[in-house]
């Protein structure tokens, strides 16, 4: 049986990817990451202060924050600030962003400086965390460039690239870059974060409707590697590397 994806894409095809840089006036680095209809504004902000437990160590820090605008989705969501607390999902995603981006940075070379990556979802159609990590890396790289150009640091702390993509099983077909219809109707989904040297930073997978088979899992990992390779190329183009 031939399976047609809701978007009409091939099983191994990414959505249209746009990584637009320098989209805000004040942030040290910024990137508007568009994965099809998922749009995330990523900004990187520098401060010369690190968390209290790191003071005097000579080591820097990279952290992430994540949020969704009220009408990023089909119906309005209440602002978490109005609710008085962040949801567990928000906390989990921003920790993932921070972990992923720290893993490709030499924090010693950063000195006692902190980079905060803010990822604000303007429009959601699946894969907001993967778009946040991919665009967040670009914003972070621009901020590091700023610090080096200003003489705040002497060496670029970035050791390799980080990017992320979602994969899933839709109507028994492993697919790349899952959008909302596939996420809501699929049998399984997975988020894969990779480094540009071929390493795996984090893998999050769940059988939603049924367990994944080993064959499906292997194919999803192959698709994720293919997708991240294409995202690394897009990041390089955006950064002029």
């Amino acid at each position: 049986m031939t399976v047609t994806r809701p978007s009409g894409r091939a099983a191994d095809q990414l959505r249209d990817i746009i990584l637009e840089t320098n989209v805000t006036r004040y942030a040290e680095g910024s990137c508007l990451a568009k994965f099809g209809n998922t749009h995330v504004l990523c900004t990187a902000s520098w401060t010369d202060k690190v968390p209290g437990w790191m003071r005097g160590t000579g080591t820097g820090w990279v952290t992430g924050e994540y949020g969704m605008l009220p009408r990023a989705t089909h119906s309005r969501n209440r602002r978490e600030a109005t609710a008085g607390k962040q949801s567990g999902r928000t906390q989990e995603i921003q920790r993932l962003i921070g972990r992923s981006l720290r893993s490709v940075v030499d924090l010693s070379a950063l000195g006692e400086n902190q980079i905060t990556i803010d990822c604000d979802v303007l429009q959601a159609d699946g894969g907001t965390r993967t778009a946040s990590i991919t665009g967040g890396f670009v914003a972070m790289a621009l901020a590091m460039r700023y610090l080096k150009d200003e003489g705040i640091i002497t060496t670029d702390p970035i050791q390799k690239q980080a990017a992320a993509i979602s994969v899933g099983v839709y109507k028994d077909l492993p697919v790349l870059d899952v959008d909302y219809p596939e996420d809501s109707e699929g049998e399984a989904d997975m988020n894969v974060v990779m480094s540009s040297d071929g390493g795996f930073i984090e893998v999050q997978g769940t059988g939603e409707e049924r367990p994944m088979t080993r064959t499906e899992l292997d194919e999803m990992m192959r698709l994720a590697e293919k997708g991240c390779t294409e995202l690394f190329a897009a990041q390089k183009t955006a950064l002029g590397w």
Side-chain angles (χ1 to χ4, degrees):
M1 182 180 71
T2 301
V3 175
T4 301
R5 302 180 70 178
S7 63
R9 288 179 287 142
D12 65 349
Q13 184 179 354
L14 292 171
R15 290 174 282 184
D16 290 336
I17 303 296
I18 298 173
L19 301 174
E20 183 181 353
T21 59
N22 301 315
V23 293
T24 66
R25 181 174 183 178
Y26 301 113
E28 282 73 36
S30 63
C31 175
L32 178 58
K34 297 182 178 180
F35 282 40
N37 287 322
T38 288
H39 300 171
V40 184
L41 175 61
C42 306
T43 56
S45 301
W46 162 70
T47 178
D48 60 357
K49 298 178 177 61
V50 293
W53 54 273
M54 298 189 70
R55 289 175 192 158
T57 64
T59 300
W61 192 243
V62 174
T63 189
E65 295 193 11
Y66 169 95
M68 296 182 69
L69 295 185
R71 277 316 302 265
T73 53
H74 294 88
S75 58
R76 185 183 187 277
N77 290 308
R78 188 183 185 193
R79 294 182 189 272
E80 292 185 340
T82 302
K85 64 177 181 179
Q86 292 180 317
S87 68
R89 176 182 180 275
T90 294
Q91 294 180 57
E92 185 266 324
I93 291 175
Q94 60 190 27
R95 288 170 183 156
L96 171 64
I97 295 167
R99 287 195 303 271
S100 299
L101 297 181
R102 282 195 299 274
S103 72
V104 296
V105 171
D106 179 355
L107 296 175
S108 296
L110 183 56
E112 290 198 21
N113 297 288
Q114 177 168 290
I115 301 293
T116 301
I117 313 296
D118 288 294
C119 301
D120 293 291
V121 180
L122 310 180
Q123 184 171 280
D125 186 40
T128 62
R129 73 187 68 196
T130 55
S132 295
I133 292 167
T134 304
F137 173 82
V138 174
M140 179 179 71
L142 291 170
M144 297 298 191
R145 183 183 297 173
Y146 167 85
L147 294 182
K148 192 168 183 294
D149 289 346
E150 292 296 313
I152 297 166
I153 57 177
T154 57
T155 304
D156 189 344
I158 292 179
Q159 299 176 310
K160 60 197 78 170
Q161 293 166 254
I165 198 63
S166 60
V167 288
V169 178
Y170 175 73
K171 294 185 177 180
D172 299 324
L173 176 71
V175 293
L176 174 65
D177 194 11
V178 176
D179 56 23
Y180 179 76
E182 293 169 334
D183 185 36
S184 60
E185 299 175 17
E187 293 88 57
D189 65 76
M190 181 182 298
N191 298 298
V192 179
V193 188
M194 292 189 66
S195 55
S196 53
D197 60 355
F200 292 93
I201 297 169
E202 189 148 345
V203 178
Q204 303 174 333
T206 305
E208 299 282 359
E209 299 295 329
R210 60 166 174 78
M212 296 173 275
T213 68
R214 179 55 184 263
T215 299
E216 290 170 339
L217 181 61
D218 289 344
E219 177 61 8
M220 283 192 287
M221 293 301 294
R222 185 192 73 79
L223 289 171
E225 289 185 86
K226 177 182 183 294
C228 283
T229 297
E230 294 177 23
L231 293 176
F232 293 136
Q235 289 175 330
K236 285 183 176 180
T237 298
L239 291 165
W241 288 0

